Amino acid sequence: VPALREAPLRDRDGLLLGRVGDVLFDAVTNRPAWVVVLLSDGRATLAPAARARHTIDGLCLPVAADAVRDCPAGATDVALAARHYGVRRFVREDAAAAARFTCAGPALDGARAA
């Protein structure tokens, strides 16, 4: 994950969106769930990490640039982002469920707990 921070972030067509701010892991599945997107206008928002792929030009998301730019969620509002992208799995999350996500990733979480 540290190698991804500040990496170029592109949409599904290769259009540059901004930079990777962080990756939020689902603590239940230990898989990347969301990418914190640092847009060029200074806003931070979320985009789904499922099916994102690494390329020589940075991380490519599986969604269009307009969808990411139009996402009303901030960098921590998973439920709002889930509704925007139609990710049913996280739509019903409430504020108390924010602890379900970690930016450290499963390996670092285990190391910190030890």
Side-chain angles (χ1 to χ4, degrees), residues 92-110:
R92 294 189 183 115
E93 300 290 335
D94 58 14
R100 174 181 177 144
F101 300 96
T102 175
C103 61
L108 289 177
D109 284 345

Side-chain angles (χ1 to χ4, degrees), residues 51-76:
R51 297 185 320 275
R53 58 186 165 70
H54 298 276
T55 68
I56 204 159
D57 295 325
L59 185 67
C60 272
L61 296 173
V63 293
D66 289 341
V68 177
R69 289 188 191 111
D70 292 343
C71 182
T76 59

Side-chain angles (χ1 to χ4, degrees), residues 19-108:
R19 301 231 170 251
V20 176
D22 215 335
V23 177
L24 301 181
F25 286 83
D26 182 339
V28 174
T29 64
N30 293 331
R31 292 181 172 228
W34 298 97
V35 175
V36 177
V37 180
L38 304 176
L39 296 168
S40 55
D41 65 4
R43 286 188 317 123
T45 190
L46 294 172
R51 297 185 320 275
R53 58 186 165 70
H54 298 276
T55 68
I56 204 159
D57 295 325
L59 185 67
C60 272
L61 296 173
V63 293
D66 289 341
V68 177
R69 289 188 191 111
D70 292 343
C71 182
T76 59
D77 196 344
V78 171
L80 187 59
R83 281 191 294 279
H84 174 74
Y85 293 108
V87 181
R88 287 190 220 166
R89 181 174 177 198
F90 302 121
V91 168
R92 294 189 183 115
E93 300 290 335
D94 58 14
R100 174 181 177 144
F101 300 96
T102 175
C103 61
L108 289 177

